[in-house]
Amino acid sequence: PKEVTDVICPFCGTLCDDIVITVSDDNKTILGVKNACAIGAEKFNHQRLPGRVKRPRMRQADGTFKEVSYDEAIDWTAKMLVKSRKTLMYGWASTSCQAMSVGHEIAEKTGAIVDNCATVCHGSSLIAIEDVGVPSCTLGEVKNRADRVIFWGCNPAHAHPRHMSRYSIFPRGFFTVKGHKGRKIYCVDCRYTDTAKCADEFIQVAQGFDYELLNAFRAAARGETIPDTVGGVPKEKIQEIIGDLKQGRFIIIFFGMGLTHSMGRNHNIDIAINLTRDLNDFTKAAIMAMRGHWNVTGSGQVLGWQYGFPYAVDLSRRDQARHQTGETTSVDLLNRNEVEACFYIATDPGAHFPVDAMISSSKKPTVTVDPHINCTTEISDLHIPVAMVGVEVEGCAYRMDNVPIETRKVVDPPEGMLTDVELLTRINQRVDELIAAE
Ligand code: SF4
């Protein structure tokens, strides 16, 4: 066995880059994983999952799956995409930016809608960032400089388990040599989370009152009058925290779905960004979304460069790209039965979308591209397995701080298995042939 070092973890938006993988001599099997957290290690261990699907599976009339060749699967998918007047092409969070680029070409040609899982997580953050901009930084700056850290509506202890040890609470950085001792950690949440247990101070905000509390922080920072309590937090506590933040050299606010999916949504992020701006009048402050899915940030980047919108991009008009939350977003499209086919890749909407949306999806021709069986493959007409990105094939992915990282190939994929890029390229070619023959 040999060890491969400096491997990038392909699971969450932290993209830890210090993973060590033990690989069999024939380069086919992962034998051990070092440095990754439990969820990251599990992802690598899935590479040798018994019963892994190695060839496409097509659903039969009796509901069972039958193995088909990649050629048949590619032909079926291309025909579905060309025939459908509006296809939802959703997912992209666990694949590479290179694969996204080919997928978007197919979407342009066939008039599809491209959406990623920001649609059900940080879409509201992206709306706020488009509206008011964002004073942000890299995770390296956080590690080396941040001495005041706020976790607001996020729980990295569960969602990004090594975030706190690598960047935000415990590590010793260039200007933060004392590690946790040199940092003051605040956790703002409506419930006492495992992240709150690691914080120096837990501020319990009443559910749905984040906007009001953020506004109160802004007012307190400017020395304005605030009510006796805001969102269940006493005025004195708000003033005390603001006083402490102003003493800091570098403040970072990390926020999660507790802000993006509670009352106020994008307005919560808007006001959190403005609080960050205000704090820059006194010291250095930055803010960052805790992006969950591995390369969902990359999907937003690639869509952003190409079409100007980071998610839910409607290309069905062919001559222009459109985006409107509530109109071109996946769940709304499915709930209104507005798409004629579904193409899912590298994300599992069956595990995250509301039931009604997936019932609607299950009634349409559906293709799911994923290395493994998941909730979505089981309601699809066709499941096409592919090599695991970041494990069996390299590719570019963006960390939550928008830093692009080239991921590494660690082992060979199962013999004859296509990568996302290869599969999408062949679908793209078949789409060209079908369109030319029309
Ligand atoms: Fe992987 Fe995220 Fe765990 Fe790091 S924190 S090892 S990126 S799952």
Side-chain angles (χ1 to χ4, degrees):
K2 57 186 176 192
E3 281 197 334
V4 187
T5 57
D6 303 323
V7 175
I8 316 297
C9 175
F11 190 85
C12 86
T14 314
L15 269 81
C16 293
D17 54 8
D18 61 344
I19 312 298
V20 178
I21 306 285
T22 310
V23 175
S24 63
D25 288 330
D26 61 4
N27 222 37
K28 287 193 172 144
T29 313
I30 289 178
L31 303 174
V33 182
K34 283 188 209 153
N35 294 345
C37 68
I39 47 178
E42 193 60 16
K43 173 107 188 193
F44 284 107
N45 289 332
H46 270 55
Q47 183 268 339
R48 56 167 197 276
L49 205 64
R52 185 169 162 192
V53 177
K54 300 201 174 135
R55 287 293 175 270
R57 304 180 299 150
M58 180 81 79
R59 193 174 297 283
Q60 305 299 295
D62 65 359
T64 59
F65 277 116
K66 181 184 160 217
E67 190 175 301
V68 294
S69 68
Y70 273 109
D71 285 345
E72 286 173 90
I74 288 163
D75 184 60
W76 198 92
T77 306
K79 283 179 177 155
M80 179 192 85
L81 290 163
V82 171
K83 187 174 171 213
S84 162
R85 284 169 300 175
K86 213 177 198 183
T87 304
L88 173 62
M89 296 182 78
Y90 170 84
W92 311 101
S94 294
T95 191
S96 63
C97 296
Q98 289 88 342
M100 292 166 197
S101 154
V102 185
H104 299 174
E105 216 177 307
I106 298 171
E108 279 188 32
K109 287 176 190 167
T110 59
I113 290 161
V114 183
D115 199 5
N116 56 46
C117 46
T119 206
V120 287
C121 59
H122 275 286
S124 33
S125 311
L126 299 169
I127 293 172
I129 289 168
E130 284 199 335
D131 283 348
V132 297
V134 63
S136 198
C137 63
T138 66
L139 287 173
E141 284 176 279
V142 171
K143 174 185 169 181
N144 287 308
R145 295 178 183 276
D147 59 352
R148 298 290 185 279
V149 181
I150 304 172
F151 295 106
W152 198 309
C154 58
N155 187 10
H158 287 195
H160 307 83
R162 296 183 74 219
H163 189 279
M164 299 187 297
S165 59
R166 280 177 60 82
Y167 300 112
S168 49
I169 299 185
F170 304 110
R172 291 161 193 245
F174 193 82
F175 299 109
T176 50
V177 283
K178 290 184 184 162
H180 187 179
K181 284 202 183 101
R183 296 188 177 95
K184 181 90 189 261
I185 313 294
Y186 294 97
C187 178
V188 186
D189 212 303
C190 60
R191 66 202 166 95
Y192 189 64
T193 61
D194 283 335
T195 299
K197 287 179 194 163
C198 303
D200 299 298
E201 196 149 345
F202 170 55
I203 300 109
Q204 186 156 27
V205 56
Q207 193 166 15
F209 281 83
D210 300 273
Y211 186 90
E212 288 82 348
L213 187 57
L214 284 159
N215 248 334
F217 275 124
R218 288 190 73 192
R222 295 165 177 206
E224 289 169 13
T225 312
I226 53 174
D228 288 344
T229 57
V230 180
V233 183
K235 172 171 79 176
E236 295 72 26
K237 180 51 72 182
I238 294 168
Q239 287 166 335
E240 179 194 315
I241 293 169
I242 282 294
D244 177 59
L245 292 178
K246 286 182 181 177
Q247 299 300 314
R249 285 173 307 167
F250 191 114
I251 305 164
I252 176 73
I253 302 174
F254 291 111
F255 66 94
M257 290 172 64
L259 272 193
T260 64
H261 277 256
S262 58
M263 194 123 73
R265 293 173 181 254
N266 54 306
H267 300 293
N268 291 339
I269 314 309
D270 181 325
I271 210 76
I273 290 171
N274 278 301
L275 169 64
T276 312
R277 285 229 172 91
D278 290 353
L279 289 169
N280 273 292
D281 286 345
F282 307 98
T283 181
K284 170 75 186 164
I287 184 165
M288 194 182 300
M290 295 289 277
R291 306 304 300 273
H293 280 87
W294 184 55
N295 193 20
V296 64
T297 309
S299 177
Q301 285 279 355
V302 180
L303 283 171
W305 311 325
Q306 294 188 325
Y307 310 112
F309 307 106
Y311 73 106
V313 181
D314 183 351
L315 299 166
S316 63
R317 283 273 299 268
R318 317 282 172 120
D319 58 340
Q320 60 178 259
R322 295 184 303 163
H323 163 93
Q324 181 63 57
T325 302
E327 270 185 36
T328 60
T329 31
S330 299
V331 173
D332 304 280
L333 288 166
L334 289 171
N335 281 345
R336 290 196 306 264
N337 258 317
E338 266 186 39
V339 289
E340 294 184 349
C342 300
F343 178 90
Y344 299 125
I345 180 166
T347 305
D348 184 9
H352 301 112
F353 279 11
V355 171
D356 285 348
M358 290 320 287
I359 289 174
S360 163
S361 169
S362 68
K363 293 176 182 155
K364 304 173 197 317
T366 301
V367 175
T368 298
V369 178
D370 199 281
H372 304 292
I373 293 173
N374 61 29
C375 298
T376 313
T377 59
E378 297 317 280
I379 56 158
S380 301
D381 298 295
L382 177 60
H383 169 207
I384 311 180
V386 279
M388 295 170 71
V389 181
V391 179
E392 295 167 338
V393 58
E394 66 284 338
C396 177
Y398 277 73
R399 208 166 58 184
M400 63 166 68
D401 54 354
N402 288 296
V403 171
I405 295 177
E406 281 300 326
T407 66
R408 300 189 65 175
K409 173 181 170 174
V410 183
V411 285
D412 295 330
E415 215 176 311
M417 184 173 276
L418 298 184
T419 65
D420 285 343
V421 172
E422 289 166 347
L423 176 75
L424 289 163
T425 304
R426 286 180 58 185
I427 292 172
N428 194 19
Q429 286 162 354
R430 186 70 188 121
V431 163
D432 282 341
E433 289 167 10
L434 292 168
I435 291 174
E438 269 179 356

